[in-house]
Amino acid sequence: MSNMSGSFALFVSGMRQIIPVAAAGIIDGIVFGLLARQAGLGVTEAVLFSLLVNAGSSQFAAVGLISQGIVGWPILLSTALLNARQLLYGLSLGPRFQGTPAWKLSLMAGTLNDETFALKATYLDAGGKPSLSFFAGASVVDYVIWNASTFAGAWFGAAFTQTEAYGLDFAFIATFLGFLAVNLLTSFHVKVAACTAAAACIGYALGGGTAAVIVGTLTAIVMGAVSDER
């Protein structure tokens, strides 16, 4: 009984702690729903997109390509490249869960995204005990908020078309800047962030958004691998 109550307490703790992070994504979800409708998707299609994919950046990229009339393998390739960072998220969390059954890890991986990883990494770095219950609670709330926001945006998308006029197109960028700000804990983190930003700008100038993500990610990986600083 004590184990069950402890697990439930951790589940509730995860739900509570993810709220500030997940709430920041409400505008992102609404904007995604709006953009999906503008790209020609119906309400059901937009909602299923978030329910099944659950990866904000790749969803935005895919909708951008669809709006340009691009379908098929370019969407699969670009979203796969954008989501390559998920492999790094898994590699970062995996050693903390040695001995955990694969099916449980697969469930956690299915809800692992930028928001939940940010919370989970911060929780573990602060000395929190690796807990699937805690992560499940956080993931449930994040998943519900993202999909409810997508539905709201898609529902009103037909009537609300000028997202840029209200600055809503910047919401997704602002969310990631918030994640970055709370994780700049050492001078090395600042150096990595600055070098990654510079590399991403060069990548964007040479090959667009996808190239910026790839170049920026590789820069951070290389700096982390070769440096003794942390």
Side-chain angles (χ1 to χ4, degrees), residues 18-31:
I18 194 65
I19 289 176
V21 179
I26 292 176
I27 298 299
D28 295 336
I30 292 175
V31 172

Side-chain angles (χ1 to χ4, degrees), residues 43 92 99 123 139 187 222:
V43 175
S92 174
Y123 170 81
S139 297
S187 60
V222 171

Side-chain angles (χ1 to χ4, degrees), residues 1-228:
M1 182 65 68
S2 60
N3 288 336
M4 291 183 62
S5 60
S7 295
F8 181 73
L10 286 170
F11 184 86
V12 173
S13 178
M15 295 178 68
R16 184 173 59 251
Q17 291 190 37
I18 194 65
I19 289 176
V21 179
I26 292 176
I27 298 299
D28 295 336
I30 292 175
V31 172
F32 171 75
L34 293 170
L35 294 178
R37 289 301 301 274
Q38 292 178 29
L41 300 181
V43 175
T44 301
E45 292 170 318
V47 172
L48 283 175
F49 208 151
S50 284
L51 284 170
L52 299 176
V53 178
N54 190 35
S57 57
S58 64
Q59 290 181 228
F60 276 93
V63 164
L65 292 174
I66 292 172
S67 66
Q68 299 175 50
I70 301 173
V71 295
W73 70 265
I75 292 179
L76 295 176
L77 178 61
S78 62
T79 54
L81 292 174
L82 284 169
N83 274 348
R85 68 189 186 283
Q86 303 289 345
L87 176 62
L88 302 179
Y89 292 169
L91 289 172
S92 174
L93 295 176
R96 311 289 186 98
F97 292 90
Q98 291 182 359
T100 302
W103 70 270
K104 291 184 178 181
L105 291 178
S106 66
L107 290 177
M108 188 175 78
T111 57
L112 186 61
N113 55 27
D114 300 300
E115 291 84 0
T116 56
F117 174 76
L119 174 68
K120 293 168 184 177
T122 302
Y123 170 81
L124 292 171
D125 288 343
K129 180 182 178 181
S131 167
L132 292 176
S133 298
F134 176 87
F135 298 154
S139 297
V140 166
V141 172
D142 179 74
Y143 190 73
V144 169
I145 288 177
W146 172 248
N147 284 282
S149 301
T150 296
F151 174 75
W155 183 263
F156 294 104
F160 190 82
T161 58
Q162 300 299 321
T163 56
E164 296 85 356
Y166 298 90
L168 294 179
D169 54 324
F170 185 72
F172 193 67
I173 299 173
T175 300
F176 277 91
L177 289 176
F179 293 156
L180 174 64
V182 298
N183 284 283
L184 294 178
L185 304 178
T186 68
S187 60
F188 178 66
H189 292 166
V190 175
K191 293 175 186 177
V192 172
C195 292
T196 299
C201 289
I202 295 173
Y204 183 82
L206 296 176
T210 300
V213 171
I214 296 172
V215 172
T217 300
L218 290 176
T219 300
I221 293 172
V222 171
M223 291 185 68
V226 304
S227 177
D228 293 329

